[in-house]
Amino acid sequence: MKRIMLCFVICLLVIAVRGQSAGNYAIVIHGGAGVMDQKSMTPNMQAEYLAVLNRVLQVGDSVLANGGTCLDAVEKAIIIMEDSPLFNAGKGAVFTHDGLVELDASVMDGKTLKAGAIAAVRDIKNPIRVARAVMEKTEHVLLNGAGASQFAKEQGFNPVDNSYFYTEKRRKQLDELLKKEREAGVNDKHGTVGCVALDKYGNIAAGTSTGGMTNKKYGRIGDSPIIGAGTYANNETGGFSCTGHGEYYIRLGFSRDISALMEYKNLPIQEACRAEVEKLSQLGGTGGVIGLDRKGNIAMEFNTSGMFRGYIKSDGEKKVMIFK
Ligand code: ASP
């Protein structure tokens, strides 16, 4: 009897020391960061975005409340945003220089440090699903282009025509950028979706999905499918999903660096994210990051004027926001 009591006390202590109150869960999402002017976004437009973000949180919350895993929550949340034409992921993704849509996505499991990603795919309706299949069904982490499409077909995902992803809004953005490029040489369009979830079992997963940047050229691949840049998850620190000018995120090893700041410097998640965004600013990059640690602490940091974002926790605390 004494032994059983001792075991029980030790278990409680381990849980307390690790800071996990068993059963708590949380989910945080983003729908891209960028130049968002409160005046130029009509109230209707704002309401549309907020409605989708709310729906995503509601679905994520119900997955986690019903005992679903963080990976299921991340996948389900991201699929909704991929299917919405509002975001730069799946349907509604931005156009490449050649007027096509090429998608990147990744997912990481913070318990096992397993990860899966696909890059530059043109015919996969929900890239996040295939990224997860890469993680769970292959010995690889990142598949690109034709190989990724072949793998998706073999896994039973029906290909879609590239035109499925097209929207008038994104075509206009490309045309405007091409015009500006001819005049000055700029590229400044953001927008991506991401999710980090902590489940009742204390596990963390993160995922990101994107069309990349408008007017991207030569098979350009951004940070979103690069583990440690746009996506990272580790139960010991936290999970992260990024949005912004991908080249800077790759150069900084952005999300892995946040995890390292937490691991080696013992920084709380918000401070670590803020410090990393500061590094981004110093390099001249723009964007944001969402993060979630094993205690359910949330970070949503960015250096742009806005980031579509929100979170919900098992105690009912919830926020959905667009502007700074
Ligand atoms: N990070 C994405 C990329 O560079 C774009 C974005 O988040 O807006 O591909």
Side-chain angles (χ1 to χ4, degrees), residues 113-124:
L113 300 189
K114 281 188 169 181
I118 56 172
V121 294
R122 296 179 175 175
D123 60 356
I124 292 174

Side-chain angles (χ1 to χ4, degrees), residues 30 32-33 88 104 189-193 208-213 216 220-225 230 242-247 249-250 287:
H30 73 77
N88 173 19
D104 301 336
K189 275 287 174 294
H190 296 162
T192 284
V193 306
T208 311
S209 181
T210 189
M213 292 179 81
K216 62 184 182 181
R220 178 264 191 190
I221 292 168
D223 61 309
S224 308
C242 303
T243 171
H245 197 142
E247 279 69 9
Y249 285 77
I250 295 173

Side-chain angles (χ1 to χ4, degrees), residues 63-209:
V63 169
L64 296 169
N66 290 316
T69 67
C70 49
L71 280 165
D72 287 340
V74 165
E75 182 180 348
K76 287 229 163 69
I78 290 182
I79 285 175
I80 298 174
M81 294 188 278
E82 287 178 338
D83 289 344
S84 161
L86 292 179
F87 301 98
N88 173 19
K91 171 112 193 133
V94 299
F95 282 92
T96 66
H97 182 73
D98 298 324
L100 290 170
V101 166
E102 286 182 357
L103 305 162
D104 301 336
S106 67
V107 68
M108 185 158 183
D109 177 356
K111 182 182 174 195
T112 58
L113 300 189
K114 281 188 169 181
I118 56 172
V121 294
R122 296 179 175 175
D123 60 356
I124 292 174
K125 183 169 179 268
N126 291 111
I128 195 68
R129 295 181 66 193
V130 179
R132 184 170 177 183
V134 172
M135 175 174 79
E136 290 175 344
K137 309 242 166 78
T138 78
E139 68 272 32
H140 304 305
V141 170
L142 173 58
L143 305 182
N144 88 97
S149 294
Q150 186 192 331
F151 167 72
K153 263 185 231 154
E154 284 173 16
Q155 290 297 314
F157 295 99
N158 288 328
V160 293
D161 191 80
N162 200 251
S163 61
Y164 160 78
F165 303 107
Y166 300 176
T167 52
E168 195 56 35
K169 177 174 102 176
R170 298 303 188 188
R171 181 70 230 186
K172 260 199 193 150
Q173 283 177 349
L174 174 65
D175 292 342
E176 274 163 26
L177 264 186
L178 289 174
K179 196 168 153 244
K180 274 196 203 159
E181 190 181 53
R182 279 192 296 271
E183 289 159 11
V186 286
N187 188 343
D188 182 37
K189 275 287 174 294
H190 296 162
T192 284
V193 306
C195 176
V196 186
L198 164 73
D199 62 28
K200 285 183 171 177
Y201 320 105
N203 294 319
I204 298 172
T208 311
S209 181

Side-chain angles (χ1 to χ4, degrees), residues 259-299:
S259 179
L261 286 172
M262 295 176 70
E263 188 177 344
Y264 304 138
K265 272 189 144 184
N266 255 320
L267 289 193
I269 191 158
Q270 276 183 351
E271 264 179 59
C273 288
R274 224 168 275 156
E276 196 64 29
V277 171
E278 185 50 41
K279 290 188 193 180
L280 175 72
S281 303
Q282 272 166 19
L283 271 191
T286 52
V289 58
I290 54 167
L292 174 55
D293 72 11
R294 63 175 181 231
K295 293 182 198 159
N297 294 313
I298 306 271

